[in-house]
Amino acid sequence: MASIHREILIEAHPDEVWAAVRDFGAVHRRLAPGFVIEARLDGDARIVTFHNGTVAREPLIATRCGDGWSIR
């Protein structure tokens, strides 16, 4: 399975950022509007359509809350 890792600074309160990340089915509205143009949930995965027409199924592998949040 392919993966992408990118670290960026976000000028927002951490609670707001993690709320957007946890909203797994709204990536096209909350995290990557314009880059992801559509997303829909399909069981434990989301089907995303990118701006160039590419469609991908992205499974939600795990979530964890402790010192911070991790979503895979």
Side-chain angles (χ1 to χ4, degrees):
M1 180 186 324
S3 63
I4 298 171
H5 176 89
R6 182 168 184 188
E7 191 170 313
I8 60 171
L9 295 177
I10 300 172
E11 292 187 27
H13 191 276
D15 291 340
E16 294 173 32
V17 174
W18 284 113
V21 171
R22 282 192 306 271
D23 196 354
F24 189 65
V27 65
H28 61 304
R29 290 190 309 268
R30 300 190 69 184
L31 292 178
F35 181 69
V36 175
I37 60 170
E38 182 182 11
R40 65 180 171 84
L41 295 177
D42 180 31
D44 290 338
R46 66 183 170 202
I47 309 299
V48 296
T49 303
F50 295 94
H51 68 95
N52 65 359
T54 300
V55 176
R57 183 176 192 277
E58 300 180 334
L60 177 61
I61 297 170
T63 60
R64 180 185 70 212
C65 179
D67 296 334
W69 275 90
S70 175
I71 295 182
R72 300 199 264 164

